[in-house]
Amino acid sequence: IFETDVMSMYFSSNRMSSFQRQLNIYGFERVEKGPWRGAYRHAHFQKDQPELLKRIVRSKPSSSTKKAAASKKGAATAAVKSPA
């Protein structure tokens, strides 16, 4: 229900994996134990405290992520340039 009803209203992607990736990028953590197991939490996402929301920011990619992306882009370019 969440994927078909809620996500389609508020997000451009309907894939749960894309939504989870966005949660991780913004610092949300998955609850592993207790009655909220499987939910996501963030210290600055609190009921009746909208002023905290401005503290939720997108994390910058790590240097290893940048290197992997550059390597992947280079490999794709090399594959295109060498048709012989």
Side-chain angles (χ1 to χ4, degrees), residues 14-79:
N14 289 340
R15 292 184 18 220
M16 189 64 176
S17 60
S18 297
F19 178 71
Q20 290 170 323
R21 186 172 24 263
Q22 289 297 314
L23 288 173
N24 292 330
I25 289 171
Y26 281 91
F28 283 78
E29 298 173 346
R30 192 173 175 107
V31 177
E32 298 296 331
K33 297 179 181 178
W36 290 99
R37 182 175 172 229
Y40 284 84
R41 66 167 299 279
H42 193 290
H44 302 300
F45 191 75
Q46 301 289 325
K47 182 178 180 179
D48 298 326
Q49 296 187 35
E51 68 279 1
L52 294 177
L53 293 175
K54 62 186 168 207
R55 295 183 182 179
I56 298 176
V57 294
R58 184 180 175 107
S59 63
K60 306 244 190 243
S62 67
S63 60
S64 62
T65 304
K66 289 178 186 176
K67 288 177 186 175
S71 174
K72 191 174 186 180
K73 183 177 179 183
T77 304

